[in-house]
């Protein structure tokens, strides 16, 4: 389970302040302090930032603070996913990072996002060095089809760099992320997600991870649906602590029930 608290204050021509806390399973899985202590009920700050819509072009949204990643098909909030758990490919992607992002729409269907953050994976919120990470994404969203192509590259002090040989302060990570979404019918939704993670550095053994996932959900009735997800992850150079050239296959299924007043939105599976 999880509890999400969102607060915001919006006044014409003034910035919006956004805060989002998570507790329960999401807090335990994503909150680093909670993982270390084994605490499930302690809320953790998923995101907290100031947002301002600048009068530039079609509008330039500037977000400053702790941000949720724009990469990937799945999110921390379980009611935004097809399945009750996030998958292995989700684990290849950053979850949150601290910095600034800029987003704007070029047309009704195409938008771009770019930003500078402290680290690819380790969200320290405070950084005392000049080594940063840079991300960007181009998105297309049509009536029944969507495509996101993005990536992040830069300094990395945690996650896969912890398994690479050599000092972590010379480790750099990059993630290339592609997400396809489609709604072929009113009761069927599908997505596919591909990730390429590269770790390198002058004192590090270069390594790569490749992950691919596909998922779909069909609405059986107005309130009940079934979802499934298939995944494949290939790891080189022991970047996950496993043997070189290790492979992982996963299959997940979820039966969910939605409240009648929210039939147009995917609710938390039960």
């Amino acid at each position: 389970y999880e509890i999400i608290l969102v607060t915001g204050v919006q006044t014409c021509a003034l910035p919006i302040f956004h805060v989002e806390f998570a507790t329960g399973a999401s807090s335990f899985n994503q909150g680093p302090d909670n993982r270390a202590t084994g605490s499930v009920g302690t809320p953790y700050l998923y995101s907290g930032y100031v947002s301002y819509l600048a009068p530039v072009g079609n509008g330039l949204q500037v977000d400053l603070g702790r941000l949720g990643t724009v990469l990937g098909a799945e999110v921390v909030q379980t009611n935004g996913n097809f399945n009750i758990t996030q998958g292995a490919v989700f684990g290849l992607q950053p979850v949150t990072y601290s910095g600034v992002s800029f987003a704007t729409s070029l047309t009704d269907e195409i938008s771009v996002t770019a930003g500078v953050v402290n680290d690819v994976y380790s969200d320290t919120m405070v950084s005392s060095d000049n080594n940063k990470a840079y991300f960007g994404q181009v998105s297309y969203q049509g009536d029944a089809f969507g495509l996101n192509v993005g990536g992040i590259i830069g300094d990395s002090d945690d996650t896969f760099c912890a398994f690479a040989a050599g000092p972590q302060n010379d480790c750099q990570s990059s993630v290339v992320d592609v997400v396809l979404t489609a709604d072929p019918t009113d009761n069927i939704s599908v997505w596919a997600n591909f990730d390429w993670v590269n770790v390198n550095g002058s004192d590090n053994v270069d390594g790569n991870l490749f992950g691919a996932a596909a998922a779909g959900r069909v609405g059986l009735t107005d309130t009940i649906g079934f979802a499934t997800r298939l995944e494949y992850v290939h790891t080189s150079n022991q970047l996950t602590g496993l043997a070189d050239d290790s492979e992982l296959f996963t299959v997940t299924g979820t039966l969910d029930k939605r409240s009648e007043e929210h039939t147009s939105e995917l609710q938390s599976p039960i």
Side-chain angles (χ1 to χ4, degrees):
Y1 66 95
E2 68 175 341
I3 298 174
I4 300 295
L5 171 63
V6 180
T7 64
V9 177
Q10 182 176 15
T11 306
C12 183
L14 292 179
I16 301 171
F17 182 67
H18 175 103
V19 177
E20 191 168 353
F21 288 91
T23 189
S26 293
S27 177
F28 178 75
N29 292 331
Q30 306 301 334
D33 294 336
N34 292 339
R35 288 199 305 270
T37 61
S39 175
V40 175
T42 304
Y44 96 102
L45 180 65
Y46 168 72
S47 64
Y49 57 87
V50 175
S51 182
Y52 176 70
L53 185 61
V56 178
N58 294 325
L60 178 66
Q61 181 171 322
V62 182
D63 296 336
L64 176 65
R66 188 172 197 176
L67 312 171
T69 183
V70 298
L71 305 181
E74 295 183 307
V75 293
V76 168
Q77 299 88 338
T78 53
N79 64 342
N81 299 323
F82 290 167
N83 290 278
I84 188 65
T85 60
Q86 293 93 356
V89 173
F90 174 83
L92 305 182
Q93 304 153 357
V95 177
T96 61
Y97 30 52
S98 296
V100 59
S101 71
F102 306 89
T104 189
S105 297
L106 303 181
T107 68
D108 290 341
E109 295 85 15
I110 300 175
S111 61
V112 295
T113 303
V116 181
V117 293
N118 285 343
D119 193 281
V120 174
Y121 288 108
S122 179
D123 190 358
T124 59
M125 291 195 284
V126 177
S127 177
S128 60
D129 58 51
N130 294 323
N131 297 323
K132 304 302 178 184
Y134 307 88
F135 71 89
Q137 184 185 71
V138 178
S139 300
Y140 168 84
Q141 186 59 59
D143 293 335
F145 170 79
L147 172 65
N148 298 334
V149 179
I152 184 170
I153 184 172
D155 183 54
S156 185
D157 294 330
D158 200 359
T159 312
F160 303 116
C161 278
F163 293 101
Q168 293 184 24
N169 58 12
D170 192 42
C171 185
Q172 186 176 75
S173 296
S174 63
V175 182
V176 176
D177 177 76
V178 179
V179 177
L180 293 167
T181 60
D183 298 304
T185 68
D186 290 340
N187 67 325
I188 297 178
S189 298
V190 297
W191 59 255
N193 189 186
F194 170 79
D195 277 342
W196 169 31
V197 180
N198 175 261
V199 177
N200 66 81
S202 61
D203 297 320
N204 295 98
V205 176
D206 292 351
N208 295 280
L209 297 93
F210 298 95
R217 182 185 182 275
V218 57
L220 304 177
T221 70
D222 288 343
T223 59
I224 297 176
F226 177 75
T228 188
R229 180 183 60 223
L230 305 174
E231 296 183 290
Y232 169 76
V233 176
H234 178 271
T235 306
S236 69
N237 291 347
Q238 301 178 325
L239 287 184
T240 58
L242 301 175
D244 190 13
D245 290 326
S246 62
E247 295 178 309
L248 173 67
F249 298 87
T250 75
V251 179
T252 307
T254 299
L255 182 67
D256 67 78
K257 186 179 187 303
R258 298 179 291 171
S259 58
E260 293 183 0
E261 61 268 24
H262 295 95
T263 55
S264 63
E265 298 180 5
L266 182 63
Q267 298 298 299
S268 299
I270 61 173

